[in-house]
Every structure is written in C-alpha cells, then in structure tokens.
Amino acid sequence: MPSHFTPNHFTPNHFTPHAAGDLNYLKSLNRSTILSTVRRYPGLSRADIALRTGLTKATVGSVVNVLGERGWLREGELHARGGGRPGRSLYLDGEQHVMLGAEVGVKGLRVVACNLLGERLASQRLDVSPTTPEETAAVLARLIEALLGDTAIAARPCLGLGVALPGPVAPQAPILRLAPNLGWVDVDFLALLRAELDSPAGVWLLDNEANAAAFGEFYFIEGTPPESIAYLSAGSGIGCGVVSGEHFPVIPRGHQGLVGEIGHTVLVADGAPCHCGNHGCAETLVSGWMLRESLGVAADASLSASLLARLDEPEVSAALARAGRALGLLMLNLHHTLNPSMLILGGSLIRLGAPLVAPALAYFDAHQNDLLRQSQRVPVKVVEDSTFTAARGAAAQVMARAAIEI
C-alpha cells in the first residue's frame, strides 16, 4: 500500500471517507461500513450484513470479495438455515495485515504490532524518560526497527504507524502543541521520526495518548460497543479521550485540540502551581508527578512499587485517599459534562490499586445519580495494566484510516 502521509494530507479525526468524488466516496463508504459491521458483529453472513446496513446483496457480495482478496476478511462456517442457500460467516482476517502503534510516555517508550482483531503480536518497551524531541525520535525509531524485524510480523503487509504523545495535538496538523510534563512545545514529531525511519509504508498519524487509548478501547471492545466512552488516563499527568459513533468513530477535539485536557481544568482557584504554568489544576490534586513531589519518590523509581511498600505510613495512605477522591471528582465531572455511556479508568496510576482506585469509585458511585435522582448506573471499567493501551489505540487508528483508503 503506498504511503498517503504528507504534511497537507493529515487530519487527526479523519476516520470517515472524504466525498472527493461520488463514485470513490461511495465505494469507500461501502467498504468501511461492511468492515465495521463485521468488526462489531463477527460471524455475520453476506445476507446478514445486507440486512443490517441496508446495502444490496449484490453490493455486499462484491465488496466482501474484494476485501477477502486483499486480506481483510475471511470466511468461516456455514450458517444453518431453514431454507435457501446457506451463507458463510465472515470475520476479520487476523492472519494477514499488521499495524504499528507507539506511545511516547513521560516515563518511557512503547511500541506494539497488532493484527486486525486488535491482538498484540509483538511489542517493545524502553523504561527511560524521553529527553529532547530529536533524541526521542531517534530512540523510538530504533525500537520500531526492532519491532519490524520480529519474526511474528516480518512477513505481514504493514498498514502504517500511529504515534501517541502526552499532550494536545493540533486539530488540523500533526503538531504536538504542548507536553507540559516533557517540556515540549510545537513539535512536528512525525517529521522528526521520518528523518530517522524509512518504514513502514502506509498511514502515518499522530494523536494525544488519551485519545488514542480511548479509540482503541472503543474500536476493539469485546461485544457490542456502547454509544460512547470516556477514557480517563491517570499517569504522570491526567488526560481524557472521548469516542462515539457507529461505523465511523468520532473523537471530539475542539478548536485548539484541548478537548479532554481534564488534568488542566482548575479545581482550586489560586491553588498549587501546575507544570502547565497555571495554578490549582486537577493534576495538582491527582497525578503521578504530584505524588512523587509530595511523597518524596525519586524520578527514576517505580511510583507504584515505592508507594505500595509504604502503605503503613499514614502520610502515604492519606495522600492516596485524597488523590483517589480527586480522581472520583473528575469522573463525576466527566459524567455531568460529557455523559458517556461508559467510563474507563486506565494509566500507570491504576497500578496503585485499591488505595487509590477504591476512593475514586466510591465517590463516583455515591454521587453519579445526585443530579437526576435516578438509580441508573454508568458502568466503569478499570484497566489494571495499560502498558500498551495507548500504543494499541494508535494502531487501531491506523486500521480505521487504512480501511478508508483500501
């Protein structure tokens, strides 16, 4: 597949076909709709897909044949029917393509290779804090090269590479606007990475890590996806990604790409200074950097291991309880402002377990129905190990974009 990445081609929220020409648009729309239907409801027959999508059986049959030839779909067992010709079940083909995802985190780098089912085929990680954008791009390029050489994926066609960064990305360009916990401002990270890396071909894209994580959780969710999700990423900093939609998932971004920067909403007027330059941000109440600074955890030490070993210290247990309550407050604010169908908690802070997570869930559970005076519950999923969640989500974004450009 030829590369479609140029500085003028990039639109971060481009997971829907462009109506550049009626026929090409219609073909792309049909392919993406059928792929999405099989992804969401594996095992459907051609007739089932036609019934669900409203497309003609002839159109479905033609598109399915093309997608099968190109390694996106495979046929399974025959459907049992009372009469007429039985159809075969259709599934995404997990044995053909691969897509790559990478995350530049505040405390390390992660790269992952996934198949069309979202299964992790190979991965690389480096638990070293990034330095300059240029040096980080060079180190990440070496990790990606090592991943591409893994025998588990070496023979597979690659759909492209998605990169997740810890800060807002400009809505109309692949530019990281600000990563306050890294000190990076207005970084064209894909250009830096291109200078170090000749492959893979295909789609290249850049996004905020919480957006990427949210997209992957939504795109590869087991069972029927909810109408919308909000992924609250609690790590060195605090972010949130929101995804909704059916065949074409949508990530709201805002005029300046700031949607989801919940860690920098101000909760305490004239409060403690934040890394962003403001005062009283949510990150001053709950974040990895706040806990490190307030509890004296060294920058090169594991935060979760250090604090879990000190739970007998009243200062530590009280600090985690306060941070957990602040996390629950953020969950409640998301519930009232965005009202997603599901909340997902992830990020490295979740490794602290019950001392942090239990107060958060308890606060949210106690207050989520105060406004409506009803007993309806918003489900909360806790991702206990999110080491590769953002990287996998960036790979999911590559798949969604590539599905449009088949």
Side-chain angles (χ1 to χ4, degrees):
M1 177 183 294
S3 172
H4 293 271
F5 173 81
T6 66
N8 295 322
H9 181 78
F10 181 88
T11 304
N13 205 25
H14 173 200
F15 302 116
T16 58
H18 283 305
D22 290 346
L23 184 57
N24 287 335
Y25 168 73
L26 185 60
K27 287 181 177 179
S28 180
L29 184 66
N30 290 343
R31 284 194 303 266
S32 298
T33 299
I34 290 171
L35 277 172
S36 174
T37 302
V38 175
R39 174 177 55 82
R40 292 163 61 91
Y41 307 102
L44 296 180
S45 68
R46 289 167 173 79
D48 295 330
I49 294 171
L51 188 63
R52 278 188 176 271
T53 62
L55 297 171
T56 67
K57 291 183 180 179
T59 296
V60 172
S62 175
V63 172
V64 165
N65 289 341
V66 170
L67 292 174
E69 292 170 358
R70 298 185 183 182
W72 283 74
L73 293 180
R74 66 172 180 85
E75 291 187 330
E77 68 280 2
L78 284 170
H79 276 215
R81 295 190 180 275
R85 183 179 177 183
R88 285 197 174 274
S89 301
L90 293 168
Y91 301 91
L92 293 176
D93 192 337
E95 301 300 320
Q96 301 296 324
H97 297 287
V98 67
M99 53 272 188
L100 307 186
E103 180 193 6
V104 176
V106 177
K107 292 296 178 181
L109 308 178
R110 312 281 186 266
V111 293
V112 65
C114 296
N115 64 11
L116 297 185
L117 304 176
E119 297 168 340
R120 180 154 51 102
L121 304 176
S123 61
Q124 296 278 335
R125 62 184 290 182
L126 184 63
D127 295 325
V128 175
S129 296
T131 53
T132 66
E134 294 78 9
E135 291 176 350
T136 302
V139 174
L140 183 61
R142 304 294 81 78
L143 278 183
I144 293 170
E145 288 174 343
L147 185 71
L148 287 168
D150 194 298
T151 56
I153 67 169
R156 290 175 178 246
C158 186
L159 298 177
L161 168 68
V163 180
L165 296 177
V169 172
Q172 298 299 328
I175 304 296
L176 173 73
R177 299 301 302 275
L178 171 67
N181 293 315
L182 292 180
W184 295 3
V185 179
D186 292 334
V187 177
D188 188 348
F189 192 77
L190 289 186
L192 297 177
L193 196 57
R194 279 283 189 189
E196 300 284 343
L197 196 64
D198 295 328
S199 58
V203 171
W204 280 49
L205 55 81
L206 187 78
D207 207 348
N208 165 264
E209 63 88 15
N211 284 341
F215 192 93
E217 288 294 302
F218 185 84
Y219 201 72
F220 289 133
I221 196 168
E222 293 184 9
T224 304
E227 179 186 29
S228 60
I229 68 165
Y231 180 95
L232 207 165
S233 177
S236 294
I238 303 292
C240 178
V242 183
V243 187
S244 63
E246 187 174 359
H247 296 304
F248 306 104
V250 174
I251 303 174
R253 298 175 185 277
H255 177 61
Q256 296 169 309
L258 295 179
V259 170
E261 288 298 319
I262 193 168
H264 298 289
T265 55
V266 176
L267 299 185
V268 182
D270 302 319
C274 180
H275 287 180
C276 72
N278 211 335
H279 287 74
C281 293
E283 285 192 10
T284 65
L285 302 179
V286 53
S287 65
W289 68 260
M290 180 279 294
L291 289 171
R292 284 182 184 276
E293 290 183 6
S294 62
L295 296 173
V297 179
D300 58 352
S302 166
L303 180 65
S304 57
S306 297
L307 295 186
L308 290 176
R310 297 169 53 191
L311 288 179
D312 58 340
E313 299 178 25
E315 179 187 15
V316 172
S317 58
L320 292 181
R322 286 194 303 270
R325 187 176 173 84
L327 186 60
L329 175 61
L330 290 181
M331 294 169 63
L332 186 66
N333 288 345
L334 286 172
H335 172 58
H336 284 159
T337 55
L338 301 176
N339 200 210
S341 305
M342 174 184 285
L343 276 167
I344 301 178
L345 284 181
S348 59
L349 282 189
I350 305 304
R351 296 179 194 146
L352 289 165
L356 176 84
V357 176
L361 297 179
Y363 185 90
F364 180 68
D365 188 61
H367 297 287
Q368 65 166 295
N369 288 314
D370 289 354
L371 182 62
L372 297 178
R373 302 294 193 272
Q374 295 176 353
S375 59
Q376 297 176 358
R377 317 304 290 177
V378 174
V380 178
K381 174 184 175 183
V382 178
V383 181
E384 295 180 356
D385 183 0
S386 53
T387 303
F388 292 101
T389 300
R392 179 175 177 260
Q397 291 179 312
V398 168
M399 177 177 166
R401 185 83 61 82
I404 298 166
E405 301 180 356
I406 296 174

